Every structure is written in structure tokens, then in C-alpha cells.
Amino acid sequence: MAETALAKGLNFAPTPNRIPIETIITSVEGTIIQNRIPATGADCIRQDVASMIRKSHLPKSNMPQGELRALRELRENLDVLVLPADKGNATVIVDTQAYDNKIAELLSDATTYKKVNYNPTARVTAKVNKLLQNLPDKCMATRLRPHNPTSPKIYGLPKIHKPDWPLRPIVSQIDSPTYKLARHMSSILQDFTGETASYIRDSRHFINLLRDIQLCEDELMVSFDVTSLFTNVPVDETIKIISDLLAATDLPTVYLNAIELCLKSGYLMWHGDYYLQVDGVAMGSPIAPVAANIFMEWLEEKLLNSSPIVPKCWWRYVDDVFAIVSRDCLHEFTAYINTLHAKVEFTVERELDGKFPFLDDPVFLWEVIHWRDRPEHLDKAF
């Protein structure tokens, strides 16, 4: 029963057994206070919400009782955890102790994390508030100011497509001191990415790129993956790259200070202990993906301009790269790209019967390429 229930996916919402009146009222009151709604308007909202609650009735249950019982038993079993897999939209059940051991192993990496005996939240909050005083747009500064911030928390997504399911560390930054500021800076930096020839927006964009590809007999499709990209992004180098990008604009200089604060004040909590992130960026921070992309685009330009072997194509989505190279040159090319930066290691996966994982799916690329003149099949392939 548990397997059938979990097969519905972690986004499936069982029908509640009662209307959450207290939660609704608390959320409404919080919204009224946060948006400073005048008393007259607030009373109207309260009356409308109260009227809707009185008229509300629970819908029929959308799950059999056996499945609901199985989910309750899973929730009450402290020896196991139900988690989303890192890739493939799968749901997995893992042993709690094994999961905790893997998180502890990640945090033991002294090149990335440093355990401290204090809660950094107040210090980081003070730095954010001081920086916001220098922001030219005072209304924006008010919106970005942290209110009752909480510590970021780490969790891991199991990589079930790899042996012994290593974890991809995610640090949830919601309500952290830098969350609003990082989200705003991310929207600004986004304009500086995505202009390279290697950039892939999504699977649909990838399909369109594939339509014009002709694969020769001596060529091989490969997938390159950057090992632990986010925790290996060199922050100081990335800030220098961003500084050069911003220098050509009329953006306020305080923006670079804000970006540096977001990238260099990372910390997290795990089982009541606090850790500073001494290098790399945390997946879970709004600014992390765009910072990683900026660094990778800089590295790719260096790679493609200096490589003695030029791949037929090199397309990247975050840390996944699809490339076509000569079979005879694959080993030499892989060795070369792994000399470009001390913190960046590419692993390579060859096609097997025209198939290998890319963009979270085992795509039959060989068939896709040969279906380029039949778009209805291309759509089904993805």
C-alpha cells in the first residue's frame, strides 16, 4: 500500500480530514500585518474569509483508507525517511541513520565547511541591514530587509542513479538573512548569462538544437558532468568575473558588495550545530545557480578557445554537458578539460546503444538525431 501511495508523487496532496481553520486565519492575519492593510480593508477581508469558511465542506477523500494508513505508518516510523530523488522525479525510502551519516560525511569536508560554536544569524543579519543602508532605492531596501530571519538548513537528495546513492547537498535559504537580497541580486545577474553558444535553456531548446545535427561514423556522443559543481565554485574568482561584468554597466557599486555578501556569508544548521561554508556556493540559495553559470561560462570560453581538440558541439545545462567528439580524441580531450581548473573535475559518460542520461532523463539521442525530420517523434522522445 505504501508503494502505491508514494507512486502518486510527493506533490500529490491527500484530502485533509478537517478544514485547517486555525492555519487559514493565522495566514490571513499575517498577510494583513505584513502588507499594512488599513483597518477597514482588513475587516472586509476577515468577513469574507469567515464567510467562506462557514460555507466550506470537505471534499471526498482522494485516497483509499489503506493507502492513508500506510502513509501514516511511514510518517510515524522514525527509522526511515521519504525523499525525492536527485533526478528522475522518483520517490525513495532511505534508512534514517544512513542518511544522517551521509550528511555528516559531507559536513566533515574541511575545504567546504567549518563548524562553529555560535549561531551566525545575528551577525549576518546585521551585515545585510548595514549594506541595505547604502542601497540607492530606499523602498527596495525596505523590501529586502530580513524580518525574523532563521538559520539555513541542510538536507540531501539521494542520487539513486549512482552507486551507494550519494547525496546532493541542498541548503534551504528561505527566511534566512540573505534570502531576499540574494533573490534580488540573482534577478540582476540573470541578464549577464545565457548569451553563449553552449547555453541550453531546457529540454525543448535541446531538441531544437539537435534537429540540425549530423553524426559521422567516427564521432561519439558523450555526457560530461561537473563533480559537485556548486560546492566547488571558486567564490573569489567568481566575484572577480562578476566585477568585470558589472564594470561595463551603470549599476550602483553597492550591488557588487551585496553579491559578495550573499556569496561569502553562507552558513547552515544541522542537528543543532552550525557550520560556515568556507568556499563554494550552496544549492538552495537564489544566487547560487546564476553564480555557477557565470563561472562555467567563463571557464567554457577558456576551454573552447584554447583546446587543441574542438568538439563538434558542446552544450551545457548547469553542470550537465552534451558533446560530440571524435572517438579517437575523447581520452585526450577529457584529460585536457580536467587541467583547466584545480576545483573543476569533469566526469564523462559515453553513449551505450545510443543512450545515456542527460537533463535528468535517459534520452535515446541516437534515435532523436535520426528522427530530426519527424518532429512528432522528437516530442515523444522527451
Side-chain angles (χ1 to χ4, degrees):
M1 280 294 185
E3 184 176 345
T4 305
L6 293 177
K8 292 179 169 63
L10 294 180
N11 290 327
F12 180 83
T15 304
N17 55 17
R18 66 180 184 87
I19 297 174
I21 296 175
E22 296 86 354
T23 302
I24 295 172
I25 293 174
T26 302
S27 298
V28 170
E29 289 299 324
T31 302
I32 288 173
I33 294 171
Q34 184 177 356
N35 292 278
R36 300 179 181 178
I37 297 173
T40 304
D43 286 340
C44 290
I45 292 173
R46 292 185 182 104
Q47 291 174 11
D48 290 342
V49 171
S51 176
M52 285 187 288
I53 290 175
R54 283 193 296 269
K55 296 176 182 178
S56 297
H57 300 283
L58 280 176
K60 292 182 179 179
S61 177
N62 57 0
M63 292 184 73
Q65 286 301 313
E67 292 183 9
L68 289 171
R69 192 161 47 249
L71 287 181
R72 281 195 297 270
E73 291 173 357
L74 270 179
R75 186 168 56 245
E76 294 168 359
N77 186 352
L78 302 182
D79 293 329
V80 297
L81 292 172
V82 178
L83 301 168
D86 179 53
K87 293 185 178 182
N89 198 30
T91 302
V92 295
I93 301 175
V94 302
D95 178 79
T96 301
Q97 187 59 55
Y99 173 86
D100 286 354
N101 291 343
K102 289 178 184 291
I103 293 287
E105 183 179 355
L106 289 171
L107 294 176
S108 67
D109 180 4
T111 63
T112 305
Y113 304 105
K114 176 185 177 182
K115 188 175 181 179
V116 293
N117 59 2
Y118 62 90
N119 182 350
T121 302
R123 299 185 186 188
V124 178
T125 301
K127 290 180 181 179
V128 171
N129 287 331
K130 183 178 180 180
L131 182 142
L132 290 174
Q133 293 175 1
N134 299 320
L135 208 65
D137 188 338
K138 299 307 178 185
C139 290
M140 178 61 71
T142 300
R143 289 197 294 271
L144 298 181
R145 187 168 293 120
H147 296 283
N148 300 318
T150 59
S151 300
K153 299 170 182 62
I154 191 171
Y155 64 94
L157 299 181
K159 300 181 182 181
I160 58 175
H161 56 290
K162 294 189 177 181
D164 199 30
W165 55 279
L167 297 178
R168 183 186 296 278
I170 312 291
V171 180
S172 176
Q173 303 271 341
I174 296 174
D175 293 332
S176 71
T178 60
Y179 181 71
K180 296 177 184 177
L181 183 62
R183 188 169 56 182
H184 182 59
M185 292 298 109
S186 173
S187 66
I188 291 171
L189 288 178
Q190 198 65 52
D191 292 338
F192 296 92
T193 65
E195 300 301 322
T196 63
S198 64
Y199 177 69
I200 296 178
R201 291 191 303 273
D202 49 35
S203 294
R204 182 64 53 189
H205 183 209
F206 182 51
I207 291 172
N208 291 333
L209 292 172
L210 282 173
R211 293 179 191 275
D212 299 324
I213 288 296
Q214 297 282 349
L215 196 65
C216 300
E217 290 296 326
D218 63 339
E219 293 174 333
L220 186 69
M221 294 181 297
V222 295
S223 173
F224 291 107
D225 178 75
V226 181
T227 302
S228 303
L229 171 61
F230 281 68
T231 54
N232 282 300
V233 170
V235 172
D236 287 331
E237 288 182 56
T238 303
I239 291 172
K240 176 61 171 64
I241 296 167
I242 293 172
S243 176
D244 293 341
L245 293 173
L246 296 185
T249 73
D250 57 357
L251 291 171
T253 54
V254 68
Y255 277 20
L256 181 61
N257 297 333
I259 291 165
E260 183 173 0
L261 176 61
C262 291
L263 291 176
K264 300 189 77 170
S265 60
Y267 72 102
L268 59 92
M269 182 176 72
W270 169 250
H271 284 355
D273 293 322
Y274 294 93
Y275 298 80
L276 303 181
Q277 183 151 355
V278 296
D279 202 7
V281 295
M283 182 177 287
S285 169
I287 202 171
V290 67
N293 260 327
I294 287 173
F295 169 71
M296 284 301 299
E297 287 180 359
W298 172 84
L299 187 69
E300 283 174 335
E301 182 180 9
K302 179 180 177 181
L303 182 159
L304 296 175
N305 288 341
S306 63
S307 175
I309 300 165
V310 180
K312 185 170 187 175
C313 68
W314 172 284
W315 299 325
R316 179 183 57 86
Y317 182 80
V318 190
D319 58 351
D320 288 325
V321 176
F322 167 78
I324 296 179
V325 298
S326 167
R327 293 177 184 271
D328 296 336
C329 297
L330 176 60
H331 179 75
E332 182 182 351
F333 180 70
T334 304
Y336 172 75
I337 62 177
N338 277 323
T339 64
L340 291 174
H341 199 284
K343 297 204 70 175
V344 177
E345 179 186 3
F346 290 93
T347 59
V348 61
E349 190 166 352
R350 302 181 180 216
E351 63 175 271
L352 180 61
D353 298 326
K355 174 184 176 181
F356 60 81
F358 185 66
L359 294 183
D360 292 357
D361 290 304
V363 183
F364 292 85
L365 292 173
W366 182 274
E367 293 179 276
V368 168
I369 290 173
H370 285 79
W371 286 346
R372 62 189 180 280
D373 297 324
R374 302 174 66 184
E376 69 277 9
H377 289 294
L378 274 173
D379 293 339
K380 291 177 182 178
F382 287 81

